[in-house]
Amino acid sequence: RGADAVVVAGRARDAAAATLDAVLLAKAMSTLADAQRVEGKDLDVARANALESVRLLRATPGAPREELAAALNNLGLVLFDAGDLDAGIATTEEAIAINKELGKEGGYKAMFDLHNLGQIERTAGRLDAAEGHAREALAIVDRLAGTSHPHRASVLGSLALIKRAKKEFAAGEQFEREALKVLLDAGRGASPDAGIAWLNLASLLRDQDKLPEAIDAGREAVKVLDGVPGQDPWLRAAARMSLGRALTASKRF
């Protein structure tokens, strides 16, 4: 419900501005930027809000360093979505450095920073670094939340995509199947995350010429994503594209 999130975050930003508390305003602006990023309709505005959040925290004496790390993480994601990969990597690396400075490199917020950094690095083609950071994130999830938490599925899914980019398709398939098992065991088999996992699994199976399985996974992706009210049309189209490619590879034109 991205549009609703933007509205609520905007109200929080306005309320924070009225308090004249710069740290509170910076937190609210970072939250608003993240909501705008997820909504995806105006990344320039999201970037401006994320940059202002970081600026306020840097300029405010005594502003908590952990809040700066969180704002930098959100800014990194906005830059990533805007296609500014080098800036996204540098910003997220700064967030990770602050976590280490505070002795929180093994904490749950650090896990998100590492996971996000790995995603940006994968897109930038820095695959070994991406895998290393994703594995660090996975170790934190396993230690703090156990092996059945849905956040684990997100990190496993990232590892699957990294392995696909490395053309290590069998390893990628195993990571994606493990991610799906986590989601199904957690009762999230009808969630968007599950639909995306089926979509990525279909691609990994097609890469290995496991075409009947790829078709089945593609059909599952279409079914799950079509069943989510208000689902992103791009994801629904991507599921059909993956299914279409598997059918074409099977000469089922």
Side-chain angles (χ1 to χ4, degrees), residues 146-190:
T147 58
S148 60
H149 196 286
H151 283 159
R152 187 171 193 267
S154 297
V155 182
L156 288 166
S158 288
L159 277 165
L161 291 175
I162 293 165
K163 288 297 188 182
R164 187 180 185 218
K166 287 185 165 186
K167 301 190 183 306
E168 298 174 16
F169 302 127
E173 177 190 344
Q174 291 309 307
F175 279 127
E176 202 64 79
R177 288 192 183 279
E178 191 176 351
L180 265 171
K181 184 177 186 305
V182 171
L183 291 169
L184 292 170
D185 288 350
R188 299 191 61 180

Side-chain angles (χ1 to χ4, degrees), residues 7-40:
V7 171
V8 174
R11 290 172 58 195
R13 185 268 319 274
D14 294 343
T19 69
L20 303 181
D21 182 328
V23 172
L24 189 61
L25 177 58
K27 291 171 63 175
M29 292 192 76
S30 182
T31 299
L32 176 59
D34 192 51
Q36 290 166 329
R37 174 189 68 82
V38 174
E39 180 66 357

Side-chain angles (χ1 to χ4, degrees), residues 32 65 68 76 87 91 104 120 129 142 144 155 175 184 189 207 210 219 227:
L32 176 59
R65 296 284 286 166
L68 177 58
T91 299
K104 296 183 177 181
I120 304 171
D142 288 352
L144 296 182
V155 182
F175 279 127
L184 292 170
D207 292 332
K210 298 180 179 180
R219 291 197 189 283

